[in-house]
Amino acid sequence: MTGTTPGRVVGGPFWRWRRNPLRRHSDVVEAWVVLAVWTVTLVGGLLAGWWAGATVDHTFAERRAALHVVSAELTENAESGTPVVAGYDAGKVWVTVRWTASDGSAHTGLAKAVPTATIGSRLQVWVDRGERVAAAPTSRSEATLDAVAAAALVAPLAATAVWGAGWGLRGRLMRRRLAEWDAEWRQIGPQWRNFSGGKG
């Protein structure tokens, strides 16, 4: 027996891409939508993850570039300072320190020191471009971990959002195709029943 069987006409995952009498315009549109969704989901997710990671890494790099370390001298004994009660430095105390900037100007500020530190002892302090005491910047290794974590979080979220939007669009195409089939059946159905009845 020659000819193409109905199963071969519409069978297989790529039947919407092949010419056949059962393929509709909406089938072609859906095929392109599915291809676009898969492409944007994969590529867009990767790009979104890369962008998020690069943004986080750039932010930390900018902060590191805006700070520098100075050697500061305690102007009081640490035992008379204010205790740090929260965070990783709990147990240390706030003390007044002074340092000389690269231009020779003198500056003072509050820094964290161990309770046993005495007046005149020195410690490393991070300061910004305005010679104000600042928190230590995130290290390169920590920044890398944070960037990777951001990428790992954003990539699947972006991919899921694209996939959800594509699935919604595909659902609309499916409803439209069912409506077209229903309209055509209302026209062809009575003729088919009449033909079958007359043949019997």
Side-chain angles (χ1 to χ4, degrees):
M1 181 177 179
T2 60
T4 304
T5 63
R8 290 178 181 173
V9 171
V10 298
F14 303 106
W15 69 270
R16 292 182 179 87
W17 297 99
R18 298 194 297 266
R19 292 186 179 275
N20 64 75
L22 298 181
R23 188 183 70 171
R24 301 166 181 266
H25 175 69
S26 58
D27 294 324
V28 178
V29 173
E30 182 180 0
W32 280 107
V33 168
V34 171
L35 178 61
V37 168
W38 272 107
T39 302
V40 176
T41 297
L42 295 175
V43 177
L46 291 174
L47 288 177
W50 172 83
W51 174 83
T55 300
V56 170
D57 187 66
H58 179 69
T59 300
F60 285 136
E62 282 190 330
R63 175 166 173 77
R64 285 195 301 270
L67 302 177
H68 61 280
V69 176
V70 296
S71 177
E73 179 184 355
L74 273 68
T75 62
E76 59 181 334
N77 292 323
E79 62 182 4
S80 62
T82 304
V84 178
V85 296
Y88 293 110
D89 292 327
K92 291 185 176 182
V93 293
W94 289 103
V95 294
T96 302
V97 296
R98 64 170 172 246
W99 67 94
T100 302
S102 57
D103 61 1
S105 58
H107 299 271
T108 59
L110 290 177
K112 298 173 186 177
V114 295
T116 56
T118 58
I119 185 171
S121 59
R122 307 192 74 83
L123 70 161
Q124 301 294 305
V125 177
W126 286 92
V127 297
D128 59 19
R129 293 189 178 99
E131 294 298 324
R132 293 180 295 267
V133 177
T138 304
S139 66
R140 291 185 181 276
S141 59
E142 291 174 334
T144 299
L145 289 176
D146 287 344
V148 171
L153 177 64
V154 171
L157 289 178
T160 300
V162 173
W163 180 257
W167 191 261
L169 179 57
R170 189 181 182 189
R172 292 182 58 183
L173 292 174
M174 178 68 74
R175 290 191 294 271
R176 179 179 177 181
R177 182 164 57 249
L178 291 176
E180 290 176 353
W181 285 347
D182 186 58
E184 291 184 8
W185 177 248
R186 285 197 298 268
Q187 295 178 358
I188 299 175
Q191 302 176 18
W192 182 81
R193 285 194 293 269
N194 290 337
F195 174 77
S196 299
K199 186 176 181 180

